[in-house]
Amino acid sequence: MSQTMKPVTAAAKLGIYLPAAPEEFRTSPITRAELDALRADPPQWLIELRRNGPFPREVVAQKLGVSRSGLARAGITEPLDADQIGALIAEPPEWLVRERESYREVVAEKARQNAR
């Protein structure tokens, strides 16, 4: 018998926002073989979700160059799509500039500590 994972786990592994996935994906356990198949030959819905979103918080934070807690401090609690992220990058609000700088400092400090 093949191991299965919950849809939320499979969505996290694929980097997609689960509520935006098709119902069949959201409501059925996923086997490792099915997950590998989705990675190897993604269906159109997965290609579109990865390209345009909406994206989960982890992906939004990564695309904006901030931490997830930085998103929370800015009041960004909903998933964002590619257009919304693009608009923030094109004209970064003050919070985004501040959170990016803070995030860069944290990453640099971690790298410095790891180099010891």
Side-chain angles (χ1 to χ4, degrees):
M1 187 170 127
S2 188
Q3 258 190 333
T4 62
M5 63 191 83
K6 293 178 181 175
V8 68
T9 304
K13 290 179 180 288
L14 293 170
I16 61 169
Y17 182 59
L18 182 60
E23 183 177 355
E24 181 182 318
F25 181 88
R26 293 190 322 257
T27 57
S28 305
I30 313 294
T31 66
R32 292 201 182 280
E34 288 169 334
L35 181 67
D36 291 342
L38 286 170
R39 285 178 170 149
D41 187 20
Q44 192 59 42
W45 67 263
L46 181 54
I47 292 169
E48 288 298 316
L49 268 182
R50 286 178 162 170
R51 181 182 303 135
N52 301 316
F55 300 104
R57 289 172 46 90
E58 297 78 27
V59 175
V60 172
Q62 180 184 19
K63 287 180 179 290
L64 291 175
V66 299
S67 65
R68 288 184 309 232
S69 53
L71 288 177
R73 281 190 292 274
I76 307 293
T77 57
E78 296 298 314
L80 300 179
D81 63 28
D83 291 340
Q84 292 168 310
I85 292 169
L88 286 171
I89 291 171
E91 294 185 34
E94 200 274 325
W95 71 262
L96 182 54
V97 174
R98 186 179 59 245
E99 289 297 339
R100 280 179 165 172
E101 183 58 34
S102 172
Y103 185 68
R104 277 194 292 274
E105 290 171 8
V106 168
V107 169
E109 178 61 21
K110 282 184 181 176
R112 188 184 67 73
Q113 289 177 356
N114 289 339
R116 287 183 166 177

